[in-house]
Amino acid sequence: MTGRLEAVCVSGADLHPLPGKRPSTSGIHKRPVDGRVAVLEETLDGDRQVNRKHHGGEGQAVYAYAQADADWWQTELDRELPAGAFGENLRTTGLDLTNAVLGERWAVGSAVFEVTAPRIPCANFARFWDVPDLVKRFTAHGASGAYLRVLQTGEIGAGDAVQVLSRPDHGVTTGLLFRALTTQRARLVEVEPALAAVPDKDRAKLSARIAALRA
């Protein structure tokens, strides 16, 4: 299976202000980059994640969002949502990110990524779009995009093919994990076969929650 990068986006040094909040800035406002972008071990060159408790790190190094899902939101909100508007680093076409399997691996440019988790919407996302009920609406729709870890550093750029190199046979998708973490929490036990793929920082907590459901 092959998709395509429509854009590669980073925050740059001009972080989005969050008056009255701590931290007082956010890296959610991403903008497309011309040319090639270096993929580092836990981020893209020029990108920043301010709140590292919830963003960034080994299992959330890069965030991808599909153009088809962005198109749905553009119709829903009657507004333009260019690449980077979801806080994503990669705007993709040709891939169903809601049905991406946790642990599937992508070759993009000279880099290799692994799908790890869905994105859970937060209040800062709603403030960034100025849509007060966005968290509720985003959760109801369920097109979360996909977080990626970096397996091989390299360089990527708009126009690169996204080749799915391998896909585990456990069938646990980003969409399933998203539902298990939000509106269908009893389904978390279904995620157990894919725990090795989730971000390191989340694995122990998810394992404990699954054990509690089984008790």
Side-chain angles (χ1 to χ4, degrees):
M1 182 179 298
T2 303
R4 183 178 185 273
L5 284 190
E6 293 300 302
V8 179
C9 308
V10 301
S11 64
D14 185 19
L15 298 180
H16 187 69
L18 294 174
K21 298 285 289 185
R22 291 186 181 180
S24 61
T25 57
S26 169
I28 194 170
H29 189 190
K30 315 290 189 188
R31 291 165 290 275
V33 177
D34 293 328
R36 310 299 290 171
V37 178
V39 179
L40 310 178
E41 289 185 356
E42 294 191 357
T43 190
L44 300 184
D45 187 29
D47 197 37
R48 288 182 61 189
Q49 299 97 8
V50 176
N51 186 347
R52 292 300 294 270
K53 180 179 179 180
H54 299 293
H55 305 286
E58 66 80 36
Q60 296 179 333
V62 176
Y63 175 50
Y65 204 76
Q67 183 63 51
D69 296 325
D71 290 343
W72 188 93
W73 280 107
Q74 288 184 147
T75 300
E76 177 75 5
L77 299 177
D78 191 25
R79 65 192 283 185
E80 292 295 316
L81 294 168
F86 291 79
E88 81 274 23
N89 302 109
L90 310 180
R91 178 69 66 90
T92 66
T93 57
L95 298 173
D96 181 354
L97 300 189
T98 302
N99 286 308
V101 175
L102 302 185
E104 74 175 46
R105 297 182 174 187
W106 300 355
V108 188
S110 57
V112 178
F113 302 96
E114 183 176 62
V115 174
T116 63
R119 185 257 193 88
I120 305 300
C122 64
N124 287 344
F125 184 31
R127 296 175 71 199
F128 178 48
W129 279 14
D130 193 25
V131 178
D133 62 348
L134 181 61
V135 171
K136 180 179 179 180
R137 293 168 70 175
F138 193 89
T139 300
H141 182 53
S144 68
Y147 275 120
L148 311 171
R149 67 165 50 89
V150 177
L151 297 181
Q152 177 179 302
T153 59
E155 290 187 342
I156 59 176
D160 283 353
V162 181
Q163 182 182 3
V164 179
L165 297 175
S166 63
R167 175 172 285 167
D169 60 7
H170 53 64
V172 180
T173 64
T174 59
L176 193 162
L177 180 54
F178 182 79
R179 287 294 167 220
L181 292 172
T182 56
T183 60
Q184 301 172 16
R185 297 186 179 184
R187 299 190 68 188
L188 196 59
V189 294
E190 299 176 43
V191 176
E192 191 168 27
L195 282 179
V198 303
D200 288 350
K201 63 184 179 183
D202 297 330
R203 197 171 299 130
K205 180 170 62 177
L206 290 176
S207 294
R209 290 175 59 183
I210 290 170
L213 286 169
R214 291 192 183 281

